[in-house]
Amino acid sequence: MKNKGTIGVTTQDIFPVIKKFLYSDHEIFLRELISNAVDATQKLKALAAKGDFKGEMGDMTIRISSDTEKHTITVSDRGVGMTAEEVDKYINQIAFSSAGEFLEKYKDQANNIIGHFGLGFYSSFMVAKKVEIITKSWQEGSQAVRWTCKGSPEYTMEDTEKEDRGTDIVLHLYSEHESYAQESKINELLYKYCSFLPVEIAFGKEKEWKDGKEIVLDKDRIINDVNPLWTKKPTDLKDEDYKSFYGKLYPMAEEPLFWIHLNVDYPFKLSGVLYFPKIKDKLEVTRNKIQLYCNQVFVTDNVEHIVPEFLTLLHGVIDSPDIPLNVSRSYLQSDPNVKKISSHITRKVADRLEEIFKNDRPALEEKWDNLKLFIEYGMLTEEKFYERATKFSLFKNIDGKYLSFDQYAQCIESNQKDKDNKLVYLYATNKEEQFAYISVAKEKGYDVLLLDSPLCAHFVNLLESKMKDVRFVRVDSDTPEKLIPKEDVSKPDMKEEEEKEMRDLFQDVLPKEATFTVSFENMGTQQLPVIITQGEWMRRYREMSALGGGMNFMGTMPESYNLVVNFEHPLVQKIRQTKDKDLVSQVCDLALLANNLLRGESLSTFIKRSVDLL
Ligand code: ADP
Ligand code: MG
């Protein structure tokens, strides 16, 4: 038999379309050919299991080879193979009614559509000027055939000799794509796409170092792990197995904190292992490390819109044949299966954390600092996760103690209610910088939380909006008495005129780069003469706008502070009588210094003045 024909594309020649639109991910051709080989192998195994195939299975390894002189790549399998009729049906008659129109519409998602429309095999024409299929069906007495096509709708098909059943696909590369035949390039692609395929893939031979020389052994080099961790039963696995698999996936990463083994059969199929990585303070760096597989074939490591955004911070593997991988991302977002899978994963993540909270609290506390950013982010972005997370989240106080939300509320309830019956959560964002304020709060018997994550402002805002009758107040946002106002404090006894005069006196010596609002308060003789505070709201919104999240005008406004003068302090009383400018400067500078606001010339003036006073 020898025949020529035209490939059955009804509307137009498919080849320019392939070349034009599928340019972005040329390299996936190898994945497509190898996954076809895997399919063919598994089909034969299924036939054997049913008893339809009674012959010898023999070695089922899929073999990849290349020739850098002839510029070819060959993928060989010992699967079902094809008869001439099957080649005609599955290869020649591309069921493609309006290829051009469709591809035009989805040109940005080339990678996603290839498999879906049976373009898998044809993706080889992105890199090959000529493709040959040499195939022999598993059925007894089959005639082997050779199909050849040079990237135009014409093909030839002829009888050929082939000893073994199965298929060889030979790509003759375009000169500009010759580099794909290089061993290193093929290794790279195999590593990326085929590391966990369920059938052994051999490329090259094993090598060994002996006496300072690399020698090639007579043993196939198998590039994949046919039973990756996520396909195994959790009960058969040890912590070490999870850790070493993580190391395989991310060779440079630090050890993960925890992991979850996903295993669902109904109503959708989903398996995988998700790891909680150590997240320091850079959300972006750790994002998008989850690898998505479809029946152990690598699809993408960009799982945006497939899992909730905060989960993109996790690492690991998700494998599901039920996620429609071959369609556009916008389609994915509205796919009901994807939604179900998403909420399932969110629930499993919450389950796991709750389980650790209940059964291994010390482990949770130990890892909390590295975990909390992930949890805060999840609470901020997923309503459902917020509800769950309030049950297992921890607060850490300034002394390094970890308490659950409920425990903490109980702990501060008796002492930290203000006069309006609101529970006040005092917090610091930096133990060193806010040291003085923390000490004052602790002297008053208050507990201070350490909220030092970059999401703090947003997180605190969220908690205030969700929890009833609570306020979050940073320790430096008001004078000690007013942090948790218990009753109205007495006003300084000063006439309006004098107050204005005094205010001007202080205002005069303050730095002009920021705005200061001067006020007077009775704080008792134990407190400092002057305290600088920064109102909770202004500061919080400034921080939120710096992180992004609306209200950007805040970022452009000058910093604003309150300068509170302790009317009862002897030095202030002295200033009332003497109006001594140096004394005013001195007490103000001390307060500025305590807040790291005294710099440059002002600082050296202060030092000189201090020496003079001594
Ligand atoms: P898909 O894999 O999505 O069906 P492809 O374009 O990748 O689409 O392949 C088209 C068809 O060609 C396959 O469904 C299969 O019937 C046949 N085929 C491709 N490669 C092989 C192979 N190595 N062995 C047997 N049949 C194959
Ligand atoms: Mg395919």
Side-chain angles (χ1 to χ4, degrees):
M1 172 199 83
K2 169 144 189 172
N3 66 32
K4 285 186 174 199
T6 309
I7 289 165
V9 182
T10 43
T11 39
Q12 70 180 86
D13 180 356
I14 194 170
F15 293 97
V17 180
I18 290 170
K19 280 172 220 161
K20 189 169 164 206
F21 292 127
L22 306 188
Y23 57 86
S24 58
D25 253 328
H26 282 146
E27 62 181 39
I28 58 101
F29 76 89
L30 193 61
R31 172 188 79 183
E32 293 301 324
L33 295 182
I34 295 177
S35 68
N36 283 348
V38 168
D39 289 347
T41 307
Q42 287 184 322
K43 275 181 204 160
L44 189 72
K45 284 183 183 169
L47 286 171
K50 274 204 313 192
D52 291 347
F53 174 70
K54 295 190 180 68
E56 274 293 315
M57 297 283 271
D59 178 11
M60 300 288 273
T61 309
I62 293 166
R63 295 196 148 70
I64 319 296
S65 58
S66 72
D67 187 324
T68 46
E69 261 147 42
K70 294 197 186 121
H71 313 300
T72 58
I73 300 178
T74 303
V75 177
S76 307
D77 67 68
R78 294 190 73 252
V80 284
M82 285 179 275
T83 61
E85 291 72 37
E86 283 166 333
V87 175
D88 200 45
K89 186 165 160 202
Y90 299 126
I91 303 291
N92 293 337
Q93 310 298 325
I94 309 173
F96 222 75
S97 54
S98 51
E101 191 189 314
F102 181 84
L103 286 172
E104 180 62 49
K105 199 164 155 202
Y106 289 107
K107 58 187 163 198
D108 298 330
Q109 289 110 22
N111 188 20
N112 295 326
I113 57 173
I114 286 173
H116 200 57
F117 286 87
L119 262 183
F121 166 73
Y122 277 94
S123 67
S124 47
F125 287 98
M126 294 191 290
V127 296
K129 55 179 189 255
K130 182 169 113 182
V131 179
E132 291 173 274
I133 304 175
I134 300 117
T135 183
K136 187 171 162 189
S137 166
W138 63 281
Q139 279 152 328
E140 228 164 288
S142 291
Q143 168 64 52
V145 290
R146 173 192 301 269
W147 176 94
T148 313
C149 179
K150 288 188 173 164
S152 69
E154 286 96 49
Y155 65 86
T156 60
M157 194 148 69
E158 61 196 318
D159 289 352
T160 189
E161 288 303 309
K162 187 178 190 308
E163 204 173 311
D164 269 345
R165 99 192 153 238
T167 305
D168 299 335
I169 309 277
V170 186
L171 306 190
H172 299 262
L173 299 167
Y174 283 112
S175 54
E176 67 262 39
H177 294 307
E178 277 166 8
S179 62
Y180 279 115
Q182 280 164 15
E183 190 183 327
S184 58
K185 187 66 190 171
I186 293 178
N187 270 326
E188 179 197 322
L189 298 185
L190 291 175
Y191 177 76
K192 178 169 174 187
Y193 292 105
C194 306
S195 283
F196 303 112
L197 284 176
V199 177
E200 288 193 341
I201 317 284
F203 178 55
K205 297 284 175 191
E206 291 284 358
K207 288 171 188 166
E208 198 178 70
W209 284 93
K210 213 172 179 185
D211 306 326
K213 267 199 306 206
E214 200 178 35
I215 53 166
V216 179
L217 305 175
D218 185 29
K219 186 174 172 233
D220 288 335
R221 194 172 67 89
I222 304 298
I223 59 94
N224 57 329
D225 171 1
V226 295
N227 294 118
L229 183 97
W230 74 87
T231 63
K232 294 180 185 163
K233 277 219 281 305
T235 43
D236 294 342
L237 295 164
K238 297 194 183 58
D239 284 3
E240 278 320 307
D241 299 323
Y242 288 100
K243 286 180 191 168
S244 77
F245 184 67
Y246 186 76
K248 232 197 258 179
L249 290 177
Y250 315 104
M252 311 307 254
E254 281 182 75
E255 214 173 77
L257 302 173
F258 304 109
W259 49 85
I260 311 171
H261 198 137
L262 300 165
N263 216 331
V264 197
D265 264 330
Y266 185 82
F268 45 80
K269 269 176 106 69
L270 174 73
S271 58
V273 177
L274 292 176
Y275 292 91
F276 296 86
K278 281 190 180 164
I279 300 175
K280 299 269 162 55
D281 48 9
K282 298 218 168 49
L283 287 168
E284 291 312 318
V285 186
T286 38
R287 209 179 279 267
N288 283 332
K289 291 277 186 64
I290 295 181
Q291 303 183 352
L292 192 62
Y293 289 77
C294 178
N295 293 324
Q296 296 172 236
V297 183
F298 174 85
V299 178
T300 178
D301 53 11
N302 178 1
V303 293
E304 223 184 327
H305 303 320
I306 297 170
V307 301
E309 202 194 339
F310 81 104
L311 294 179
T312 62
L313 294 171
L314 295 180
H315 294 174
V317 171
I318 299 175
D319 189 338
S320 177
D322 289 330
I323 295 178
L325 299 165
N326 306 313
V327 294
S328 71
R329 289 199 165 269
S330 55
Y331 181 87
L332 271 186
Q333 277 175 292
S334 56
D335 183 78
N337 251 337
V338 171
K339 283 202 175 125
K340 269 186 239 152
I341 289 173
S342 258
S343 61
H344 177 84
I345 296 174
T346 307
R347 197 168 68 237
K348 283 289 162 194
V349 167
D351 286 351
R352 178 80 178 110
L353 290 165
E354 195 171 319
E355 178 198 318
I356 302 167
F357 175 84
K358 284 187 180 141
N359 303 332
D360 198 359
R361 177 83 177 260
L364 188 65
E365 293 187 5
E366 185 199 317
K367 291 163 184 168
W368 185 256
D369 292 353
N370 283 308
L371 194 63
K372 70 173 178 205
L373 196 57
F374 166 76
I375 292 181
E376 287 175 5
Y377 191 57
M379 291 172 88
L380 277 162
T381 52
E382 285 289 318
E383 180 83 31
K384 280 216 179 79
F385 187 74
Y386 176 89
E387 303 301 334
R388 297 286 311 272
T390 54
K391 307 275 190 310
F392 55 71
S393 280
L394 301 176
F395 278 132
K396 179 188 187 179
N397 78 2
I398 212 81
D399 303 318
K401 229 175 125 183
Y402 295 90
L403 293 156
S404 73
F405 281 14
D406 284 349
Q407 285 174 321
Y408 194 74
Q410 276 170 20
C411 152
I412 60 171
E413 194 164 19
S414 58
N415 198 26
Q416 293 187 208
K417 280 215 167 134
D418 68 10
K419 60 184 165 58
D420 304 322
N421 216 25
K422 285 207 169 186
L423 194 55
V424 180
Y425 288 65
L426 293 181
Y427 68 100
T429 49
N430 187 314
K431 207 171 162 173
E432 299 300 320
E433 282 174 19
Q434 292 148 16
F435 185 83
Y437 298 92
I438 295 168
S439 309
V440 171
K442 284 175 81 174
E443 271 162 32
K444 291 188 97 44
Y446 299 149
D447 194 82
V448 179
L449 291 173
L450 181 65
L451 301 180
D452 57 358
S453 98
L455 295 175
C456 171
H458 287 277
F459 186 56
V460 156
N461 234 29
L462 174 76
L463 293 179
E464 266 179 3
S465 73
K466 295 272 187 185
M467 293 156 80
K468 260 214 170 109
D469 290 325
V470 305
R471 283 197 299 134
F472 279 76
V473 176
R474 201 166 91 174
V475 281
D476 59 348
S477 64
D478 218 324
T479 53
E481 283 304 323
K482 285 190 172 167
L483 279 177
I484 306 179
K486 305 274 172 144
E487 58 210 37
D488 294 323
V489 248
S490 64
K491 285 254 179 295
D493 180 20
M494 228 180 347
K495 291 259 153 48
E496 212 174 287
E497 273 153 53
E498 190 194 350
E499 191 175 327
K500 187 182 178 301
E501 191 187 352
M502 283 284 276
R503 204 183 297 128
D504 291 345
L505 203 57
F506 278 89
Q507 199 82 60
D508 260 2
V509 304
L510 289 168
K512 304 288 172 269
E513 304 83 64
T515 51
F516 286 88
T517 310
V518 179
S519 65
F520 298 88
E521 254 180 52
N522 288 333
M523 289 187 259
T525 51
Q526 296 304 306
Q527 295 295 340
L528 293 169
V530 171
I531 291 178
I532 291 172
T533 66
Q534 204 180 10
E536 177 71 20
W537 286 101
M538 283 295 257
R539 198 208 71 249
R540 201 190 289 176
Y541 281 108
R542 182 187 298 281
E543 282 170 9
M544 282 165 72
S545 66
L547 251 181
M551 293 175 288
N552 267 323
F553 65 95
M554 297 292 296
T556 59
M557 282 165 56
E559 291 269 5
S560 59
Y561 299 94
N562 304 309
L563 184 98
V564 191
V565 182
N566 182 2
F567 188 73
E568 289 177 328
H569 197 279
L571 283 174
V572 176
Q573 290 302 323
K574 191 169 169 194
I575 290 169
R576 272 182 87 189
Q577 283 148 20
T578 61
K579 307 278 176 327
D580 181 347
K581 274 224 162 194
D582 271 353
L583 193 49
V584 175
S585 298
Q586 194 68 10
V587 291
C588 285
D589 283 355
L590 282 170
L592 290 167
L593 193 65
N595 284 276
N596 205 11
L597 291 168
L598 200 61
R599 273 165 241 148
E601 196 185 337
S602 319
L603 183 59
S604 61
T605 313
F606 165 77
I607 293 169
K608 257 189 90 202
R609 189 183 333 108
S610 301
V611 174
D612 290 348
L613 282 169
L614 288 169

